[in-house]
Amino acid sequence: MNLANKITLARIFLVPVVMIFLLVRFDIGHIQIGSVNLTVSELIATLFFILAAVTDGLDGYIARKNKMVTNLGKFLDPLADKLLITAALISLVEMQRLEAWVAIVIISREFAVTGLRLIAAAEGYVIAASALGKLKTIVQIVAIVALMLKNAPFSTFAFPFSYIVTWLAVLITIISGLDYFYKNRKIVMLTKP
């Protein structure tokens, strides 16, 4: 197993760590960020989430730079991304920081695009990640971090950053999903019965 795949696996193993610190109520203190009171465990969860998100770009960069792109990596990388984002969204719904319909829209898009990729693979095609898809991931990560931090430090200025970036994430998620299906509509039409 090469370095890039090990980094991807590390991202997968960080998912339960993020969830434990986010959902389990550890009594290890509080931190005040502006007008927001966060538990230390929430802050730790946020830092682990950011670390996991950073590894997403790192493993791909290392794989391409060192010509270590493997079939295992092509499978693990999108799986790790989906696990991280899905776990965070469901946790935020559980914590009542995110409405369930937002998580459903984002997770549904991921399932739909994954299904499209499976259909394409069965037909011998590979659907590469688009620039819009990469932008979608970045905006989703920013929205999740803002929600984990309860909009700190923006809440001090009564600026609804987490609200705005969450709506932007939903919008870009829908647009990028439609874009994948529109650009690859011929693959779907070519599918044999």
Side-chain angles (χ1 to χ4, degrees), residues 5 21 23 50 52 104 126 145 153 175:
N5 291 343
F21 279 103
L23 297 175
I50 292 168
I104 291 167
V126 175
V145 169
I175 292 169

Side-chain angles (χ1 to χ4, degrees), residues 89 92 96-99 101-102 106 139-155 158-172:
L89 291 172
L92 289 166
Q96 298 181 350
R97 293 189 194 169
L98 182 68
E99 293 186 42
W101 73 265
V102 173
I106 292 172
V139 175
Q140 285 177 357
I141 289 167
V142 171
I144 289 168
V145 169
L147 291 166
M148 284 180 169
L149 293 175
K150 299 180 187 173
N151 200 43
F154 300 101
S155 57
F159 181 69
F161 178 77
S162 61
Y163 180 80
I164 293 167
V165 75
T166 299
W167 272 101
L168 188 59
V170 170
L171 185 63
I172 293 173

